[in-house]
Amino acid sequence: SSSPAGFSARASAPVEALKAAGLDPRTKVEGGAVQVMTGQRAVIRLDEAGRPSLDDVEAGRIGKAVADGKETYKGAGAGKLAFALDASVEKRQSVLKIWNGLTRPVAYEAEITALRGGKLMKRMSTICTVPAGAVGYEVWPDPVISVTLSKFAETPADKHVCE
């Protein structure tokens, strides 16, 4: 099927199962971390201390994750960061896209939650930097249900740029 939920629906469990496994299946900001569910985008702002606050949650598709390459998201807007998670059935991969609408490079840590054999598996991913005003991507071969982003910080421009 070509439904947007194809890869993630086969890979993911019903909401009740996610809750039973200890995952609150919502895109949200909590305790200084941003949780993004697949098929959604979190638009956030950072305060001076690097703490995120949720500006908006949107549903949509990332161009890299869909067969026709059609992206439904627009830019994040000046002064905001945005993180979208999507899954590609055809490519059998999950894609995180990051929009940095700030005037400085921003680094973050990412932890992915994926489903393996019916069990939730969490693992730290990379520490990435997205240049000021730029877009970044991270791609995983796992059916990722959610990504949790934390430890937002300004960084030197040449550190850990991820594509």
Side-chain angles (χ1 to χ4, degrees):
S1 91
S2 65
S3 79
F7 176 58
S8 45
R10 274 207 306 279
S12 71
V15 166
E16 296 74 43
L18 294 178
K19 284 183 172 160
L23 181 76
D24 176 10
R26 292 181 303 134
T27 293
K28 61 180 182 174
V29 169
E30 192 172 82
V34 181
Q35 175 174 282
V36 184
M37 302 303 295
T38 191
Q40 296 190 323
R41 177 169 88 157
V43 181
I44 66 164
R45 295 175 184 273
L46 296 179
D47 67 12
E48 271 95 59
R51 285 186 302 264
S53 62
L54 194 60
D55 198 68
D56 201 7
V57 176
E58 304 157 341
R61 303 302 317 266
I62 298 171
K64 273 193 184 202
V66 286
D68 63 10
K70 284 203 178 84
E71 174 120 7
T72 62
Y73 296 113
K74 306 280 180 264
K80 298 178 194 176
L81 289 169
F83 298 88
L85 182 61
D86 204 348
S88 166
V89 190
E90 297 79 17
K91 298 176 185 171
R92 302 197 72 74
Q93 58 186 208
S94 298
V95 180
L96 176 72
K97 183 173 182 178
I98 307 97
W99 291 259
N100 183 357
L102 308 182
T103 55
R104 59 187 191 272
V106 170
Y108 60 88
E109 282 186 17
E111 180 187 61
I112 63 172
T113 301
L115 215 72
R116 282 246 176 102
K119 289 195 169 57
L120 282 182
M121 175 198 80
K122 287 184 185 251
R123 66 178 170 87
M124 286 311 293
S125 180
T126 41
I127 297 171
C128 285
T129 296
V130 183
V135 167
Y137 290 93
E138 288 195 60
V139 177
W140 298 282
D142 299 298
V144 176
I145 292 166
S146 68
V147 176
T148 301
L149 307 140
S150 60
K151 300 196 174 124
F152 299 96
E154 292 183 49
T155 53
D158 58 350
K159 285 272 191 293
H160 304 290
V161 175
C162 292
E163 165 51 72

PDB file of all heavy atoms in Angstrom, residues 69-82:
ATOM      1  N   GLY A  69       8.760  12.235  -3.959  1.00  0.00           N
ATOM      2  CA  GLY A  69       9.658  13.301  -3.527  1.00  0.00           C
ATOM      3  C   GLY A  69       8.970  14.595  -3.125  1.00  0.00           C
ATOM      4  O   GLY A  69       9.621  15.612  -2.907  1.00  0.00           O
ATOM      5  N   LYS A  70       7.641  14.551  -3.010  1.00  0.00           N
ATOM      6  CA  LYS A  70       6.896  15.778  -2.690  1.00  0.00           C
ATOM      7  C   LYS A  70       6.884  16.044  -1.189  1.00  0.00           C
ATOM      8  O   LYS A  70       6.346  15.259  -0.413  1.00  0.00           O
ATOM      9  CB  LYS A  70       5.446  15.665  -3.193  1.00  0.00           C
ATOM     10  CG  LYS A  70       5.324  15.850  -4.695  1.00  0.00           C
ATOM     11  CD  LYS A  70       3.899  16.296  -5.067  1.00  0.00           C
ATOM     12  CE  LYS A  70       3.785  16.530  -6.571  1.00  0.00           C
ATOM     13  NZ  LYS A  70       3.512  15.282  -7.314  1.00  0.00           N
ATOM     14  N   GLU A  71       7.483  17.144  -0.817  1.00  0.00           N
ATOM     15  CA  GLU A  71       7.531  17.547   0.583  1.00  0.00           C
ATOM     16  C   GLU A  71       6.303  18.396   0.903  1.00  0.00           C
ATOM     17  O   GLU A  71       5.912  19.247   0.107  1.00  0.00           O
ATOM     18  CB  GLU A  71       8.807  18.360   0.810  1.00  0.00           C
ATOM     19  CG  GLU A  71       8.895  18.957   2.175  1.00  0.00           C
ATOM     20  CD  GLU A  71      10.114  18.485   2.932  1.00  0.00           C
ATOM     21  OE1 GLU A  71      10.970  17.791   2.362  1.00  0.00           O
ATOM     22  OE2 GLU A  71      10.194  18.807   4.104  1.00  0.00           O
ATOM     23  N   THR A  72       5.709  18.162   2.081  1.00  0.00           N
ATOM     24  CA  THR A  72       4.537  18.965   2.440  1.00  0.00           C
ATOM     25  C   THR A  72       4.892  20.075   3.429  1.00  0.00           C
ATOM     26  O   THR A  72       4.100  20.982   3.646  1.00  0.00           O
ATOM     27  CB  THR A  72       3.413  18.088   3.039  1.00  0.00           C
ATOM     28  OG1 THR A  72       3.897  17.486   4.243  1.00  0.00           O
ATOM     29  CG2 THR A  72       2.988  17.005   2.061  1.00  0.00           C
ATOM     30  N   TYR A  73       6.078  19.993   4.058  1.00  0.00           N
ATOM     31  CA  TYR A  73       6.458  21.002   5.047  1.00  0.00           C
ATOM     32  C   TYR A  73       7.091  22.225   4.379  1.00  0.00           C
ATOM     33  O   TYR A  73       7.800  22.102   3.392  1.00  0.00           O
ATOM     34  CB  TYR A  73       7.471  20.427   6.040  1.00  0.00           C
ATOM     35  CG  TYR A  73       6.950  19.296   6.883  1.00  0.00           C
ATOM     36  CD1 TYR A  73       7.460  18.008   6.743  1.00  0.00           C
ATOM     37  CD2 TYR A  73       5.951  19.504   7.836  1.00  0.00           C
ATOM     38  CE1 TYR A  73       6.993  16.960   7.526  1.00  0.00           C
ATOM     39  CE2 TYR A  73       5.484  18.456   8.629  1.00  0.00           C
ATOM     40  CZ  TYR A  73       6.020  17.192   8.465  1.00  0.00           C
ATOM     41  OH  TYR A  73       5.557  16.162   9.241  1.00  0.00           O
ATOM     42  N   LYS A  74       6.838  23.384   4.971  1.00  0.00           N
ATOM     43  CA  LYS A  74       7.513  24.620   4.569  1.00  0.00           C
ATOM     44  C   LYS A  74       8.677  24.854   5.538  1.00  0.00           C
ATOM     45  O   LYS A  74       8.892  24.075   6.448  1.00  0.00           O
ATOM     46  CB  LYS A  74       6.527  25.798   4.647  1.00  0.00           C
ATOM     47  CG  LYS A  74       5.238  25.589   3.865  1.00  0.00           C
ATOM     48  CD  LYS A  74       5.446  25.858   2.374  1.00  0.00           C
ATOM     49  CE  LYS A  74       4.175  25.668   1.568  1.00  0.00           C
ATOM     50  NZ  LYS A  74       4.065  24.338   0.937  1.00  0.00           N
ATOM     51  N   GLY A  75       9.390  25.956   5.349  1.00  0.00           N
ATOM     52  CA  GLY A  75      10.479  26.276   6.277  1.00  0.00           C
ATOM     53  C   GLY A  75       9.962  26.467   7.694  1.00  0.00           C
ATOM     54  O   GLY A  75       8.762  26.611   7.912  1.00  0.00           O
ATOM     55  N   ALA A  76      10.868  26.487   8.646  1.00  0.00           N
ATOM     56  CA  ALA A  76      10.464  26.604  10.055  1.00  0.00           C
ATOM     57  C   ALA A  76      10.110  28.038  10.420  1.00  0.00           C
ATOM     58  O   ALA A  76       9.308  28.279  11.316  1.00  0.00           O
ATOM     59  CB  ALA A  76      11.589  26.111  10.959  1.00  0.00           C
ATOM     60  N   GLY A  77      10.705  28.996   9.739  1.00  0.00           N
ATOM     61  CA  GLY A  77      10.495  30.400  10.099  1.00  0.00           C
ATOM     62  C   GLY A  77      11.659  30.916  10.935  1.00  0.00           C
ATOM     63  O   GLY A  77      12.328  30.150  11.630  1.00  0.00           O
ATOM     64  N   ALA A  78      11.917  32.205  10.833  1.00  0.00           N
ATOM     65  CA  ALA A  78      13.037  32.815  11.548  1.00  0.00           C
ATOM     66  C   ALA A  78      12.901  32.626  13.054  1.00  0.00           C
ATOM     67  O   ALA A  78      11.799  32.720  13.594  1.00  0.00           O
ATOM     68  CB  ALA A  78      13.114  34.298  11.198  1.00  0.00           C
ATOM     69  N   GLY A  79      13.999  32.336  13.696  1.00  0.00           N
ATOM     70  CA  GLY A  79      14.012  32.206  15.148  1.00  0.00           C
ATOM     71  C   GLY A  79      13.473  30.892  15.676  1.00  0.00           C
ATOM     72  O   GLY A  79      13.311  30.717  16.874  1.00  0.00           O
ATOM     73  N   LYS A  80      13.187  29.932  14.770  1.00  0.00           N
ATOM     74  CA  LYS A  80      12.631  28.653  15.215  1.00  0.00           C
ATOM     75  C   LYS A  80      13.460  27.483  14.689  1.00  0.00           C
ATOM     76  O   LYS A  80      14.160  27.595  13.688  1.00  0.00           O
ATOM     77  CB  LYS A  80      11.201  28.478  14.708  1.00  0.00           C
ATOM     78  CG  LYS A  80      10.230  29.530  15.212  1.00  0.00           C
ATOM     79  CD  LYS A  80       8.853  29.293  14.608  1.00  0.00           C
ATOM     80  CE  LYS A  80       7.943  30.482  14.806  1.00  0.00           C
ATOM     81  NZ  LYS A  80       6.644  30.286  14.148  1.00  0.00           N
ATOM     82  N   LEU A  81      13.339  26.365  15.381  1.00  0.00           N
ATOM     83  CA  LEU A  81      13.891  25.091  14.918  1.00  0.00           C
ATOM     84  C   LEU A  81      12.704  24.175  14.654  1.00  0.00           C
ATOM     85  O   LEU A  81      11.679  24.277  15.318  1.00  0.00           O
ATOM     86  CB  LEU A  81      14.748  24.433  16.001  1.00  0.00           C
ATOM     87  CG  LEU A  81      16.098  25.045  16.343  1.00  0.00           C
ATOM     88  CD1 LEU A  81      16.623  24.385  17.608  1.00  0.00           C
ATOM     89  CD2 LEU A  81      17.079  24.858  15.206  1.00  0.00           C
ATOM     90  N   ALA A  82      12.862  23.258  13.691  1.00  0.00           N
ATOM     91  CA  ALA A  82      11.806  22.280  13.458  1.00  0.00           C
ATOM     92  C   ALA A  82      12.438  20.924  13.197  1.00  0.00           C
ATOM     93  O   ALA A  82      13.511  20.826  12.597  1.00  0.00           O
ATOM     94  CB  ALA A  82      10.922  22.699  12.284  1.00  0.00           C
TER      95      ALA A  82
END
